[in-house]
Each structure stands twice: as C-alpha cells, then as structure tokens.
C-alpha cells in the first residue's frame, strides 16, 4: 500500500468518525451546545501560555523561512488577539440557536401540514493558511450550528493549531459534545485527500490567498464557500467631507492591511482631487503606505509611482495603494464592477443621491457609505465570529456566521392523506393556509 493510499484510508476513517460525532451533536439541546462553548473558552484561557508559546515558535520559523509579511501578520497571535478570539467563542454562545427554527408552517389541507425547519449541514471541511484564530472562530460556530468540523491548517501554523485543538478537546471532555466532532489535519498530503471526501464532508471553506482558494475550487466536487480575491475600493465623491474621507481612507488601508477587507484602490472624483489627494497622501505616507497613481493623480502627487493596468486588479494585502481619478460616480461604479472582487466597497459623500446610486449599482457583498471597509467582519456584524466571507451571488453572502452553516428540511405530517385525492376531475383543492406565527 502506498503512502497516498494509507493517508486516504486514515482520512476516510477520521471523516467517518467526524460524521458520526456530528450526528450526535446535531440533536443536542441549545443548553448543551452553549455549555460546551463555555468549557472551550475556559480551557483556551487556561492553555493561553502554551498557545502563545507555540505561536511564537511558528512565527520565528516563518520569519526564518522568509514568509511574506502579510502572512506573518495573520499568523501572529498575541495576548490581545487570543483574548479577543476567546471572547468571540463566548459571544457565539449568546447567539440564538440557528437549528430547529420553523421557517414555514402551512396547512396544505385539513390534517395535512407542512413545515420547513432549519438543520445542520453535517461536516465542514475548513482549509486555511496562516490564520490560527480561525480554529477558534470556526469551532465555536460549528458547534453552535450542530456541525462537525475537519480543520486543515497551513504548515506555518501547525504548532499553534495543535495547541489550540488540544485545548478545545480538553474543554469538550467534560461536555456532551464529542471531541471527535472537531478534528485537525496538518500535512499537505491531507489537503487533496480531504477534497475527495464528498461522501462525508458537506461543505469546504477555504481561507487564504486567491490562488489557494482557486486551487480548492478546482479540485473538489464538494460545495465550496469562500472568495478568491479581496479587491476592495473606497470612492471619494465630489460631495465628500474631506477630513472624514481622510480618516476613513487611512483606516480602510492601514488598520490591518493584510485583511481581505482592506482597500486596494482609492477612487477620487476629479472635483475634489486637488484638495483631498495631498492631505490623504500625507496621512497614508505617514503610515508607510506606498502610493501608485494614474496620470491625473500624479499631476497632483508628482512623487508617487505610476499605476499600471495590473494594479487595478491586484490584492496587495500590504501597505500599497493604487489611486485613480474619475469624472463621476457612474465612472467609479463602472471601475469597481470591472476590477473589483464583489467583496466590500465604500463611498464617502454627503450627497444622499450619490450614495443611493452607489448602493443600487455596485455589485458587491458589502456596500458602505461613510465608513471603513474594515467593518466587513462577522464579529463586527454581531455574528460572534465568521467562518469566512463569501462573494458569490447565491446566499450566504458576505461575512458568514451561523446562518450560513445550516440548511433546512421539509416535514409533512398527514393522517392517511394520498395525492390521488387532489388530482383528476373531482380533485379536492388544497387550502394552502399559513398557520401564523411560530
């Protein structure tokens, strides 16, 4: 038996175990799931020194291996970031249970009733690179939504993820949630094998670079939730408040440049450009941002580098920003819809009509007015955490929390009813009466 066959057999066995555990988790009460989340949070807090030490070792190795700065920024898990992630676990426990909601309750005929009820997806396969905080976010959301999860971390985050999952398993040991509902894979060979497990895994969620996400999408028959690019725009309209626009631009680019919701292109209306560009350039360059501009913006900012066609479709994930002057809101919208990735785009304006046009015509999961694109986040939306951000047109879209991890089933309850009664020349009509609030 080859090494690949051994890996495949072992992973199949692990996936079967995860599915069996997920089936047990799916029928647990809200109280049992919430108790498990509290236990996980407490265990993570107790294990914090070990987790931070493991992360320091991962970061040291990543630096030695010359991993790009944006990846190291995502990899680093300091005390504040860890505490915030643990708080997110507790926040998920406070959210409403998405399982068992009756979305439709309808009488089809006397004694014949239809219900549509939410239920877990089953088993999630989550593949991520240098994002160890994803372990805590996704585990908490999976448990609350009644799903098992198989986590596959990147090589650069192995020690951190092992420490995190160890703490999670220790927390689950005293609860009704089977620890096997949360699994961790750590080798590259396991990634491709995981993508072949369509019999046992119901949804794949990739979190990483655009090339990585595309690889996942092209190598599995399992449904994939995710986004390949995070090319976000900020448009400064002619009617923008300049101080407000400067602050928002700086935050959208520099607050966390490695994030997928950081802006990569700044679009500026020609009428406001002479006043706005010098101020925003000074503020951004004070934060060490490299600016690249089109010909018209370089007439105002003589010192910046020229932007090329490639810059408009590049996700830098770093302190680099492309600038373009446009003649109208319509031109800004056309640029965004041409080069954007349907992630998050914002307009800064005091003109309500311009904002309304932007909202109606920009084809993105998140469309913002007078605020930073960095708000595109499940925690900031009140979801407790997120499993990822989806830029697909079909739901779920945008930051995906609990609602994206459940599906539904139809229940029909009768008393000897048969379809023949409702067909033919003397067919009995359906009542199709909604049965009110549920």
């Amino acid at each position: 038996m080859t090494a690949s066959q051994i890996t495949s057999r072992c992973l199949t066995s692990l996936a079967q175990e995860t599915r069996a555990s997920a089936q047990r988790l799916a029928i647990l009460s809200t109280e049992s799931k919430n108790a498990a989340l509290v236990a996980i949070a407490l265990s993570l807090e107790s294990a914090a020194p070990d987790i931070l030490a493991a992360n320091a070792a991962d970061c040291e190795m990543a630096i030695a291996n010359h991993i790009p700065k944006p990846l190291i920024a995502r990899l680093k898990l300091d005390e504040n970031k860890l505490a915030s992630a643990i708080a997110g676990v507790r926040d998920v426990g406070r959210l409403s249970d998405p399982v068992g909601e009756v979305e439709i309750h309808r009488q089809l005929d006397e004694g014949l009733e239809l219900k549509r009820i939410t239920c877990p997806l089953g088993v999630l396969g989550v593949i991520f690179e240098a994002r160890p905080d994803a372990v805590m976010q996704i585990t908490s959301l999976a448990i609350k939504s009644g799903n098992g999860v198989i986590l596959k971390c990147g090589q650069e985050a192995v020690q951190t993820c092992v420490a995190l999952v160890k703490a999670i398993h220790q927390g689950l040991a005293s609860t009704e949630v089977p620890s096997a509902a949360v699994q961790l894979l750590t080798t590259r060979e396991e990634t491709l094998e995981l993508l072949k497990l369509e019999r046992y895994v119901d949804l794949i969620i990739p979190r990483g670079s655009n090339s990585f996400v595309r690889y996942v999408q092209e190598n599995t028959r399992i449904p994939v939730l995710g986004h390949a690019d995070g090319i976000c725009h900020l448009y400064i309209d002619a009617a923008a408040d300049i101080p407000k626009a400067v602050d928002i631009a700086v935050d959208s680019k520099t607050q966390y440049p490695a994030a997928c919701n950081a802006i990569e292109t700044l679009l500026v209306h020609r009428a406001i450009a002479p006043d706005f560009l010098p101020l925003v350039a000074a503020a951004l360059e004070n934060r060490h941002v490299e600016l690249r501009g089109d010909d018209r913006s370089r007439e105002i900012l003589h010192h910046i580098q020229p932007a090329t066609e490639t810059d408009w479709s590049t996700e830098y994930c770093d302190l680099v920003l492309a600038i373009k002057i446009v003649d109208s809101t319509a031109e800004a919208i056309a640029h965004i819809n041409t080069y954007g990735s349907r992630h998050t785009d914002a307009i800064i304006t005091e003109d309500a009509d311009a904002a309304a046009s932007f909202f109606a015509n920009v084809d993105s999961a998140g469309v913002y007015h007078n605020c930073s694109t960095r708000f595109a986040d499940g925690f900031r939306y009140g979801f407790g955490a997120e499993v990822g951000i989806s830029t697909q047109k079909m739901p779920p879209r945008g930051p995906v929390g609990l609602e994206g991890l459940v599906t539904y089933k139809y229940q029909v309850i009768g008393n000897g009813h048969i379809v023949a009664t409702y067909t033919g020349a003397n067919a009995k009509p359906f009542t199709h009466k909604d049965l009110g609030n549920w």
Side-chain angles (χ1 to χ4, degrees), residues 24-80:
R24 292 167 56 192
L25 170 58
I27 60 174
L28 289 181
S29 68
T30 301
E31 292 74 20
S32 294
K33 292 186 289 187
N34 289 345
L37 294 177
V38 171
I40 287 173
L42 290 171
S43 183
L44 288 167
E45 287 171 342
S46 297
D50 292 337
I51 294 167
L52 294 174
N55 184 253
D58 278 336
C59 289
E60 183 178 344
M61 186 173 296
I63 292 169
N65 290 333
H66 306 291
I67 286 177
K69 286 191 303 180
L71 285 180
I72 293 176
R74 291 174 177 175
L75 173 62
K76 186 172 177 56
L77 195 64
D78 58 23
E79 290 184 11
N80 291 333

Side-chain angles (χ1 to χ4, degrees), residues 138-398:
I138 293 166
T139 296
S140 59
L141 291 170
I143 289 174
K144 186 62 180 267
S145 58
N147 292 292
V149 61
I150 301 173
L151 301 158
K152 167 59 182 72
C153 66
Q155 289 296 299
E156 64 283 341
V158 167
Q159 295 181 78
T160 310
C161 293
V162 167
L164 287 167
V165 173
K166 178 181 178 182
I168 289 167
H169 283 170
Q170 289 173 340
L172 291 177
S174 60
T175 75
E176 294 182 68
V177 175
S179 60
V182 181
Q183 306 276 11
L184 177 66
L185 309 179
T186 59
T187 68
R188 288 189 177 93
E189 293 76 18
E190 290 169 319
T191 300
L192 191 54
E193 294 303 323
L194 174 62
L195 298 180
K196 297 175 182 177
L197 294 174
E198 62 269 14
R199 288 185 60 191
Y200 308 106
V201 177
D202 299 283
L203 181 67
I204 293 288
I205 305 172
R207 298 182 62 167
S209 67
N210 47 1
S211 59
F212 165 72
V213 175
R214 287 198 183 98
Y215 171 84
V216 171
Q217 292 169 332
E218 293 167 1
N219 286 277
T220 187
R221 288 183 290 184
I222 304 170
V224 177
L225 185 154
H227 69 282
D229 298 289
I231 302 172
C232 302
H233 299 77
L234 183 67
Y235 166 54
I236 312 302
D237 183 53
D241 177 296
I242 288 180
K244 183 187 298 181
V246 170
D247 288 344
I248 292 172
V250 170
D251 186 84
S252 295
K253 181 69 236 185
T254 69
Q255 197 275 331
Y256 187 22
C260 60
N261 55 19
I263 60 169
E264 307 294 11
T265 299
L266 181 66
L267 301 173
V268 184
H269 193 286
R270 61 179 172 80
I272 204 171
D275 296 323
F276 171 73
L277 281 179
L279 294 175
V280 78
L284 289 165
E285 289 171 338
N286 189 50
R287 300 290 188 95
H288 310 291
V289 178
E290 175 191 332
L291 302 177
R292 302 175 184 177
D294 68 342
D295 291 342
R296 289 202 287 180
S297 61
R298 293 182 71 238
E299 290 175 4
I300 298 170
L301 304 174
H302 306 291
H303 64 289
I304 69 173
Q305 297 296 313
T308 67
E309 180 69 17
T310 302
D311 285 301
W312 310 132
S313 55
T314 297
E315 182 181 18
Y316 304 112
C317 292
D318 204 351
L319 292 172
V320 181
L321 182 66
I323 301 173
K324 182 178 182 179
I325 291 178
V326 296
D327 292 324
S328 64
T329 300
E331 185 182 343
I333 292 168
H335 180 98
I336 291 168
N337 288 340
T338 299
Y339 296 99
S341 58
R342 296 178 175 175
H343 193 297
T344 304
D345 301 286
I347 181 174
I348 311 303
T349 187
E350 302 306 307
D351 182 341
D353 289 339
S357 176
F358 192 87
F359 276 0
N361 293 291
V362 170
D363 185 18
S364 297
V367 190
Y368 292 4
H369 176 205
N370 284 351
C371 59
S372 171
T373 59
R374 288 282 292 118
F375 283 106
D377 175 82
F379 177 76
R380 297 185 181 109
Y381 279 13
F383 298 168
E386 67 181 40
V387 294
I389 291 182
S390 174
T391 56
Q392 63 189 12
K393 297 296 285 287
M394 294 293 291
R397 198 179 191 199

